[in-house]
Amino acid sequence: MRLSFLAPLMAAFALASACAPAASATYPEKPIRILVGFPAGSTGDLIVRILGPRMGQALGQPVIVENRPGAGSSIAAEAVAHAAPDGHTLLLSTTANVINPSLYPNLRFSFVKDLTPVTLLAEAPALLIARADLPARTVKELVAAASEAPGKFSYGSSGNGTFTHLYGELFNQSAQVRLTHVPYKGGAQALTDVMAGRVDLAFTPAAPVMAQVTAEKVKALAVIGRHRLAALPQVPTFAEAGIAGFDSALWFGLHAPAGTPGAVVERLSSELQKVLADPEVRRQLSDQTVEAAASTPAQFAITIASESSKWAKVIGTAGIKID
């Protein structure tokens, strides 16, 4: 399934690069806007505000962050998809952007066709947390208990179709168990009920729950990400726990409108790779529980293809619909 999805995407990417008009020698000619589909203070917003000043210095023009929250980042993505393809309007793309096409079939743009990848920027690890008194102390013990009692154990999410919901469904499919989904209207409510013991589990970004894990108000069973967290060295990754498909949590990247000159895309990618290699930038990102993860446009296109295929399969198999 991944190969069938990847081939046309890479062909379109190569064609767009070959056919794009030559970049202006004076790019950028004006301030660069980066649209963020989430509110100020969100993880993606913080990432752009860390990178923006360094990016502006490298390119010789100010970088302006514009928050356009709503519809799981689709409002911001649509605005960039319809913007002039000159490299002056960009999108902070996220995991949500590859999830949305399977949840919202009537989107007025195509994330793959109307936007072009520039670079991956960062990944934010997540955790599977459990109420403090849950008998299962490991993922293996949880799988065993859940296999014996289908539907008995519940997990809270920040809402239907969010990644905190989809990771629960991915766990159901990968571990061949059945956890009961309990949607909330935000992650904070889900965390509160895990701490209170009203729900058993939650798949959640790591940053907002580190204090509760450290204080043993909840316990962390596994890390969604490629590495263990320095702050929680005793907590294994899902791969180490024997469950596949959890090697990346929330990712954040940069997209430009389709048709943006290839030279502009390459310059943006090259400059951002330099910025992301800066030890001080990496430290600032790490302080937000985020890991720098630069890539070339072609590498990012492969990530997009893989993620799109993965989540389309999860959503289709689980029959997830947005209320």
Side-chain angles (χ1 to χ4, degrees), residues 3-148:
L3 290 177
S4 63
F5 187 94
L6 178 59
L9 175 64
M10 293 303 296
F13 177 78
L15 181 62
S17 298
C19 297
S24 168
T26 57
Y27 173 81
E29 301 171 298
K30 58 185 178 181
I32 297 169
R33 292 189 305 149
I34 300 180
L35 272 59
V36 178
F38 300 95
S42 61
T43 300
D45 178 75
L46 293 173
I47 290 171
V48 175
R49 293 184 190 278
I50 289 171
L51 300 180
R54 299 294 187 97
M55 182 179 171
Q57 290 173 9
L59 294 171
Q61 286 285 354
V63 172
I64 300 168
V65 180
E66 185 176 326
N67 298 93
R68 292 199 189 179
S73 187
S74 288
I75 292 175
E78 181 178 355
V80 176
H82 295 157
D86 57 11
H88 292 97
T89 304
L90 306 171
L91 172 72
L92 177 77
S93 50
T94 77
T95 308
N97 294 119
V98 296
I99 290 172
N100 288 341
S102 296
L103 295 174
Y104 303 97
N106 297 319
L107 290 176
R108 294 177 294 184
F109 71 101
S110 166
F111 181 66
V112 171
K113 295 179 180 179
D114 296 333
L115 291 153
T116 190
V118 175
T119 182
L120 186 66
L121 296 174
E123 294 180 344
L127 294 168
L128 168 58
I129 61 169
R131 56 182 171 86
D133 61 347
L134 189 77
R137 295 165 298 174
T138 66
V139 170
K140 184 177 180 180
E141 291 180 358
L142 173 63
V143 171
S147 297
E148 292 178 359

Side-chain angles (χ1 to χ4, degrees), residues 14 18 39 48 51-52 55 58 64 137-138 171 179 214 217 223 226 263 266 270-271 298 309 321:
V48 175
L51 300 180
M55 182 179 171
I64 300 168
R137 295 165 298 174
T138 66
F171 183 79
L179 304 179
T214 302
K217 294 180 179 179
V223 174
R226 304 179 197 282
E266 290 294 339
S270 176
E271 295 295 351
S309 174
K321 305 292 184 182

